[in-house]
Amino acid sequence: MEQKVFFIKTFGCQMNERDSEIMAQSLAGYGYVEGMDMYAADLVILNTCSIRAKAEQKVMSQLGYLRKIKEKRADMKICVAGCVAQQEGVRIIERMPHVDLVIGTQNIYDIGALLETSTSKGSQVVTDLRNDYDIPRFLPELSLPGATVSNISPTPSFGFRKFVTIMQGCNNYCTYCVVPYTRGREVSRKVSDIVDEIKVLVESGVREITLLGQNVNSYGKTNQVDLSNENYNFANLLKDVSEIKGLVRLRFTTSNPKDLTDELMRCFQDIKNLCPQFHLPVQAGSDEILKRMNRKYTIAQYTEQVNKLHEYCPDIALTTDVIVGFPGETDEDFEGTMNLLETVKFHGSYSFKYSDRPGTRASEFKEKVDEEVKSARLARFQKRQDEISLERNREYVGKIKQVMIEETREDGSRGRTGTNHIVHFEECLPFLPGDIVSARIYFAGQHSLKGKIDS
Ligand code: SAH
Ligand code: SF4
Ligand code: F3S
């Protein structure tokens, strides 16, 4: 088979990162190898995100740039995948006729085959989104080509940390969000498929797994995931996965407070290899705004969950997502968000200015907040969050933490705590990525810690 080179650029969330891996695996079956040089590649894939207008603009400008390259290299193929592809479909080809393939979020498994036919067919748009999940159906999740639990031999170079998708889509319809439209209806993968896949990964050297989905704590709600137990839920899955021999660390993302049960919170106490880290997006600190966002919880309920989480797991590090300037957000509403920062003191947060997205309900809401007001609110929020993150990080100084090594180099090493804090070491350490070391933290910055091996 003639060898061809693909280059893939991934935008957006971890779901997209995982999808890029899947496309890479599909392409491997068609004679493609991954290259690092976009200009020399036979195939360039943009795996796109449309969560905010800016993310989408980035894709369009990249495509404009690729047009110039393709003028000089007519044999280069260009593929647009991901959420912009799903949402815009044929409109991408209309604006950017040099694009060869637009491939939707549920069609990525076929990328290799579709590229074969695209030579004879001209530009193709394949964005079927199946929402008829009456019969539980999950697309084949590729992990290692041809691997089953018994035939795989350990390959340490495979990496020590992996994402495993446990569900796709979202049914929540938060009024600002495109995901239910770009990823389709929520459907959970079968427990046995997930567990088997993780066994394969762990046997091949993976030490840390992150379970992925837009709303992992509603796992199992929309279709039966375990034929022997129709009430099987996310807490059950965490327990089952955590017992896989050789799995050192387990994480998951993302959760919605409306589906956070006591049983799940208790997992942070009961499951020893579940990392004490929880990303729990709150979005806003005002009940009125939460209601109009269709989030289905109140700030009182959220803070109660936070308190319980601390009760079950005093060391837990909480992070969140926040949107400022949602339509109709008053100064008072925004003060609610600022107050929440003081009550919870999140270890970190991702904050965004509200962005109108096509097809969402909020895009039709009147009372849009001025851009300058949004910017000022965001700056104020981020400044205070930075101070709080530093305060939080300083709590680690003088403590001994278990750190999983990620990289060792001549000029220093890097690892991560269970709480998901990056720790830098000044020296080259005699450890491999995935090894756990005990480190004494001696310095805290805003975004990372510094440590020395504790011996
Ligand atoms: N499923 C996750 C969120 C996925 S999107 C959850 O429910 O928490 C990641 C983040 O992008 C969201 O948490 C939200 O804070 C932000 N976001 C989504 N739509 C947005 C929009 N229209 N404008 C600004 N931020 C948005
Ligand atoms: Fe979007 Fe809400 Fe679904 Fe998260 S839960 S993906 S914010 S609709
Ligand atoms: Fe973006 Fe789609 Fe993820 S919109 S955040 S890539 S699900």
Side-chain angles (χ1 to χ4, degrees), residues 11-13 15-16 48-51 83 178-179 182-183 214:
F11 302 82
C13 64
M15 250 69 65
N16 256 16
T48 63
C49 171
S50 70
I51 200 81
C83 290
V178 286
V179 173
T182 61
R183 298 269 167 175
Q214 285 298 356

Side-chain angles (χ1 to χ4, degrees), residues 382-395:
Q382 289 181 339
K383 180 163 177 283
R384 185 64 192 126
Q385 175 63 63
D386 280 351
E387 292 164 0
I388 292 173
S389 296
L390 186 59
E391 259 174 58
R392 281 294 199 189
N393 286 355
R394 284 188 175 142
E395 291 170 9

Side-chain angles (χ1 to χ4, degrees), residues 156-183:
S157 62
F158 188 65
F160 64 95
R161 197 168 56 179
K162 282 279 164 195
F163 296 134
V164 170
T165 313
I166 63 162
M167 63 192 314
Q168 62 184 19
C170 181
N171 283 354
N172 289 325
Y173 289 98
C174 301
T175 53
Y176 50 81
C177 186
V178 286
V179 173
Y181 309 98
T182 61
R183 298 269 167 175

Side-chain angles (χ1 to χ4, degrees), residues 246-259:
L247 180 64
V248 181
R249 283 185 172 179
L250 177 59
R251 304 181 193 271
F252 59 86
T253 197
T254 304
S255 307
N256 189 315
K258 84 177 169 58
D259 297 310

Side-chain angles (χ1 to χ4, degrees), residues 106 129-138 184-187:
Q106 289 185 9
L129 196 59
R130 278 193 50 169
N131 282 329
D132 53 335
Y133 286 126
D134 295 341
I135 307 163
R137 164 181 179 269
F138 201 95
R185 293 292 56 73
E186 189 173 295
V187 62

